[in-house]
Amino acid sequence: MKLITAIVQDKDTNRLSNAFVKANIRATRLTTSGGFLRSGNTTFLIAIDDDRVQNVLDIIQKVSQKRKQFMVPPINLDAGGDHMGAYPIEVEVGGATVYTQSIESFHQF
């Protein structure tokens, strides 16, 4: 049995939840934040049999696509210089960060 921890951008959360339901995969959703853009994320925790791990990974990869968006870089007020001319830059967002770990035991009460 494995524990899959998948961190996805909030924009992909509902589509991924629906895909898990259709595939009969139980997942716990946690609201999280962080990263370079300091944007909202969702972390899914999934306990799954070893033979279904690849199925879960395929669903995550299909639904959580990378995309580009524009953002204004955060200003470091500790650094000297002119901060008035911050221009938007294009960055790649989305996708998923996924960890897979072995589970010693699993219980549902």
Side-chain angles (χ1 to χ4, degrees), residues 21-71:
V21 168
K22 286 181 184 177
N24 197 27
I25 296 168
R26 293 181 180 196
T28 299
R29 287 171 45 168
L30 305 172
T31 301
T32 55
S33 64
F36 174 69
L37 299 177
R38 296 186 180 112
S39 60
N41 299 311
T42 298
T43 300
F44 288 90
L45 301 175
I46 305 155
I48 198 84
D49 290 323
D50 289 350
D51 61 339
R52 297 189 65 201
V53 169
Q54 191 58 52
N55 183 34
V56 174
L57 296 176
D58 290 343
I59 291 169
I60 294 168
Q61 185 175 16
K62 181 180 177 185
V63 172
S64 302
Q65 295 295 312
K66 291 184 179 182
R67 56 194 157 270
K68 296 190 185 255
Q69 79 179 40
F70 286 94
M71 58 89 57

